[in-house]
Amino acid sequence: MDSLLHDPAFWLLALFIIPLLLRVPIALALGFSALAVVWKWDMGLNMLSYNFFAGIAKFPLLAIPFFILAGYIMERAGIAARIVALMEALVGSMTGGLAVATVAVATFWGAVSGSGPATVAALGLILIPGMAKAGYDKAFATATVSVTSGLAIVIPPSIAFIVYGGVADVSVPALFAAGFIPGVVVAIFIMGAVLLISRKHGYKGKERQQPVSKALREAFWGIMTPVVILGGIYGGVFTPTEAAAVAIFYGLFVGIFIYRTINSLSVMVEILTETVKATAVVMIVVTCAGLYSWVGSTVGLVEKCSGVLLGVSENPWIVLFMINIILLLAGMLLDAISIYYVFLPFMLPIMTHFQWDPVWFGIMMTTNLAVGQVTPPVAVNLYVGAKISGLTMEQISKAALPLIGAALLALAVITAFPELSTFMPKLLGLY
C-alpha cells in the first residue's frame, strides 16, 4: 500500500477520477491531475506548455472547427428540413413510418455534421414535434432522435475519426471509408427496434404532404452534400481537412444562392458564435486530454493498464469483451474525445500484441462510444433531446433502452466480423 501511495501513476488516475465523481468538468479534471503529478514528481513544468500546444498543433485537427462550422451552416441553410420532408414523403402512412424516417434522416445527417449532439439539435426541433403530432409517444420520439444521432460519429465524415486517427496514427480517409457499412448496420438494427415498438403501439406515419418527386427536387442539394465531401476525399481531390473547408463553402452556396435562408449578416454572426462556442469546448478537452495522455505515458500508467488487461487472459475474445465493457462504462462518464486520449494509449499495445487491425478497432471503439452518448449519467445526446422536448432524462432514458439494446447487438456484430469495417477501405485502396 505504501508503494502505491508513492506511485505517480496511481495518483494520476486517482486525481482524475475523484474530481470527476464530484462533477468537476472533464477538461479541468484531466488538466488538474496532469499538472499535480508533474509538479509533485518534478517532471519539468516547462514541458507542460510544449505539450499543451503540441496536442492541438496538428493539421488534421483543423478539420474539427471546419466541420462544426459546416454543420451549423447546413442546419441554418434549411437542408435538414428538406431531408426530413423527403423521408416523410417516401414512407407515407406506413406503420412506424415516421420512426423509420427519423432513423434514416439522423443517419444521413451524421454524414453532414459529424457530431451527435449537433445532430440532435438540428433534427430534434423538426422531428420530435412532428412525431408527437402524428400520435407517437413524445419520449419515444425523443429517444429515437437522440439514439440514432449517436451514429454521427460513426457515419463519415466524423470528428471522432479525426481524433482517433491522430492519436492512433491511422489514415483518416481509411477510417471514413470503414465507417459506412458499420454505420448502416447499426441503423438497420435501430430501425428494426423502432418498427417493432411502433407495431406494438400502433404508431403510423402521416399522409404525404407533397409528391415524392417534388420532395426529391427540394432535397437534391442536401443529398449532394456527403457526395461532394466524401467523393472529393476518396477521389483524391482534397484531404479530410480540406474537405471540411469545401463543406463550408458548399453550405454557404446552398444557403445563400439556392435556398436563400442565410440572408443576413446577423444569421452569419449567430452561426459563427455557435461555432466558436462548440469548438472551444472540444479543443480545451483535446488539449487537457493530450496532457493527461503524455503524463500517463511518462509515469508508466499506460504500460500498467495494458499489463493488467493482458494478465487477465491471453484469449483475444475475452480481452475484446473486457475492452468493450470498459469503453461502455467510460462512455457513461466521459465524452468520446476524452476517452480516446485517456484509454486509447494503453489499448494500442494490446492491439499490437493481438495483431488487431487498427481501422477495425477504431470503428468498434467509435461505435461503442456512440452508445455512450446516450447512456446516463453523462448522456450528451439525451440532454440535448431533453432540452428540446421538455421531458426529463428519466422519461427519455426509459424509452431509449430498447434502442440502446439494438445498438449493442449491432456492436457485437461489428466486433465479431472485422470484414464489415475493412471491406470499403480495401476496396478503395486506402490500406
Side-chain angles (χ1 to χ4, degrees):
M1 183 65 182
D2 188 58
S3 61
L4 190 65
L5 292 176
H6 289 86
D7 186 351
F10 166 78
W11 284 108
L12 182 66
L13 196 60
L15 291 174
F16 167 58
I17 292 173
I18 292 170
L20 199 65
L21 294 175
L22 296 174
R23 305 189 72 83
V24 171
I26 292 167
L28 290 180
L30 289 164
F32 168 72
S33 56
L35 179 62
V37 169
V38 168
W39 174 76
K40 173 64 178 175
W41 275 270
D42 194 21
M43 294 168 59
L45 289 173
N46 60 316
M47 291 297 294
L48 284 175
S49 59
Y50 169 79
N51 281 281
F52 187 87
F53 289 106
I56 56 173
K58 297 175 181 178
F59 181 71
L61 292 182
L62 280 174
I64 293 176
F66 284 158
F67 273 126
I68 291 173
L69 176 56
Y72 279 115
I73 288 172
M74 290 179 190
E75 186 259 321
R76 292 301 294 269
I79 291 174
R82 288 166 174 83
I83 296 296
V84 170
L86 172 61
M87 292 299 174
E88 288 180 348
L90 287 171
V91 298
S93 58
M94 67 174 277
T95 300
L98 273 183
V100 171
T102 296
V103 175
V105 171
T107 303
F108 175 87
W109 198 252
V112 175
S113 74
S115 163
T119 302
V120 180
L123 301 179
L125 291 169
I126 306 167
L127 290 168
I128 294 171
M131 289 179 72
K133 189 177 179 181
Y136 286 75
D137 177 67
K138 198 173 186 180
F140 172 68
T142 308
T144 302
V145 174
S146 302
V147 174
T148 314
S149 294
L151 285 175
I153 67 171
V154 180
I155 299 287
S158 161
I159 291 171
F161 286 157
I162 295 168
V163 176
Y164 176 89
V167 176
D169 194 24
V170 177
S171 163
V172 174
L175 289 166
F176 279 7
F180 269 114
I181 296 176
V184 171
V185 168
V186 180
I188 290 171
F189 272 79
I190 295 176
M191 278 185 184
V194 299
L195 268 175
L196 290 173
I197 294 169
S198 297
R199 286 179 179 174
K200 180 180 177 181
H201 295 281
Y203 300 145
K204 296 186 179 294
K206 60 181 181 181
E207 296 300 325
R208 289 186 176 89
Q209 304 298 306
Q210 58 182 327
V212 175
S213 57
K214 183 182 178 182
L216 183 60
R217 285 196 303 272
E218 286 285 315
F220 172 77
W221 293 97
I223 294 170
M224 288 301 293
T225 304
V227 176
V228 170
I229 298 170
L230 299 173
I233 295 173
Y234 300 140
V237 180
F238 36 69
T239 67
T241 303
E242 292 164 345
V246 170
I248 291 171
F249 286 100
Y250 181 83
L252 286 173
F253 171 76
V254 173
I256 295 172
F257 298 107
I258 306 298
Y259 297 149
R260 299 182 181 180
T261 45
I262 301 177
N263 51 15
S264 68
L265 184 61
S266 62
V267 173
M268 277 306 304
V269 170
E270 288 175 20
I271 291 171
L272 292 172
T273 301
E274 292 302 314
T275 300
V276 169
K277 289 178 182 177
T279 301
V281 170
V282 172
M283 297 312 287
I284 192 64
V285 171
V286 168
T287 52
C288 291
L291 280 180
Y292 187 91
S293 179
W294 167 69
V295 177
S297 300
T298 305
V299 301
L301 180 63
V302 170
E303 291 78 7
K304 288 171 184 175
C305 291
S306 302
V308 168
L309 269 179
L310 290 173
V312 172
S313 174
E314 277 292 322
N315 186 316
W317 292 105
I318 293 176
V319 175
L320 258 181
F321 178 75
M322 292 175 62
I323 286 174
N324 272 302
I325 294 299
I326 290 170
L327 291 174
L328 283 170
L329 293 173
M332 295 180 182
L333 300 170
L334 302 172
D335 64 282
I337 291 172
S338 300
I339 290 171
Y340 285 129
Y341 278 96
V342 174
F343 289 89
L344 189 52
F346 78 76
M347 291 180 179
L348 291 175
I350 300 172
M351 289 166 55
T352 304
H353 178 80
F354 289 113
Q355 297 183 327
W356 288 334
D357 187 297
V359 171
W360 160 72
F361 192 88
I363 302 302
M364 180 199 71
M365 185 174 185
T366 305
T367 305
N368 195 308
L369 301 184
V371 178
Q373 291 189 335
V374 289
T375 47
V378 183
V380 286
N381 286 14
L382 294 190
Y383 277 114
V384 177
K387 185 178 179 181
I388 292 170
S389 65
L391 300 174
T392 65
M393 282 286 288
E394 289 75 15
Q395 290 172 305
I396 303 170
S397 298
K398 184 178 179 182
L401 284 176
L403 309 186
I404 293 172
L408 289 174
L409 286 175
L411 172 62
V413 171
I414 293 165
T415 303
F417 299 99
E419 297 81 9
L420 292 172
S421 303
T422 58
F423 175 75
M424 285 294 289
K426 288 179 179 178
L427 182 68
L428 295 170
L430 297 172
Y431 261 88

